Amino acid sequence: MKSKLLTAGWIFMLIAGIQRTVSGFMLISMSEKDVDSIFLFILLGVMFIFITLGSFRKGEKWSWWCLLVLGFAPPVYCLIAHGVSAWPIVGIAFLLPGLIIPIKPFFCKKG
């Protein structure tokens, strides 16, 4: 039987992946000239969705670490390189519940 915490966590991570994918398409609609940013957001969103629906949902520990790194690296870079803006903060806000809520199922010993 799957933990309710794990279920809540992967739902939050799925929302974070959808948010990042939508952000990429919003950059396209805003006629963003930086193709690298557009590709980064869409690629990260798709990776979030696939990792979440695959390994994270099953409770595999490597997927938690992978989503931690993939989740924090781009927003932290954007905050450092471009200054404080809404999108990196929103990205972190969607990411944190998905990582914090299922900590017990991922890292506590089963028994």
Side-chain angles (χ1 to χ4, degrees), residues 19-90:
Q19 182 266 337
R20 297 210 180 183
T21 306
V22 168
S23 297
F25 287 110
M26 286 180 67
L27 288 173
I28 292 172
S29 69
M30 295 178 352
S31 301
E32 177 71 31
K33 303 280 188 235
D34 188 12
V35 177
D36 293 339
S37 296
I38 295 169
F39 184 72
L40 174 73
F41 273 105
I42 293 173
L43 180 65
L44 279 174
V46 170
M47 285 190 311
F48 256 67
I49 291 169
F50 279 108
I51 292 171
T52 298
L53 292 177
S55 301
F56 192 83
R57 192 171 73 175
K58 294 175 187 172
E60 296 179 14
K61 193 181 291 190
W62 72 267
S63 63
W64 189 92
W65 288 105
C66 184
L67 290 175
L68 174 74
V69 171
L70 288 175
F72 276 109
V76 169
Y77 166 75
C78 287
L79 288 172
I80 293 169
H82 305 293
V84 177
S85 64
W87 280 109
I89 294 171
V90 169

Side-chain angles (χ1 to χ4, degrees), residues 1-14 51-64 67 97-108 110:
M1 183 171 142
K2 297 219 185 213
S3 168
K4 291 180 183 181
L5 295 175
L6 185 60
T7 302
W10 76 258
I11 289 171
F12 275 107
M13 292 307 284
L14 185 62
I51 292 171
T52 298
L53 292 177
S55 301
F56 192 83
R57 192 171 73 175
K58 294 175 187 172
E60 296 179 14
K61 193 181 291 190
W62 72 267
S63 63
W64 189 92
L67 290 175
L99 289 173
I100 293 172
I101 291 172
I103 281 183
K104 187 176 179 182
F106 275 104
F107 294 105
C108 290
K110 313 237 184 316

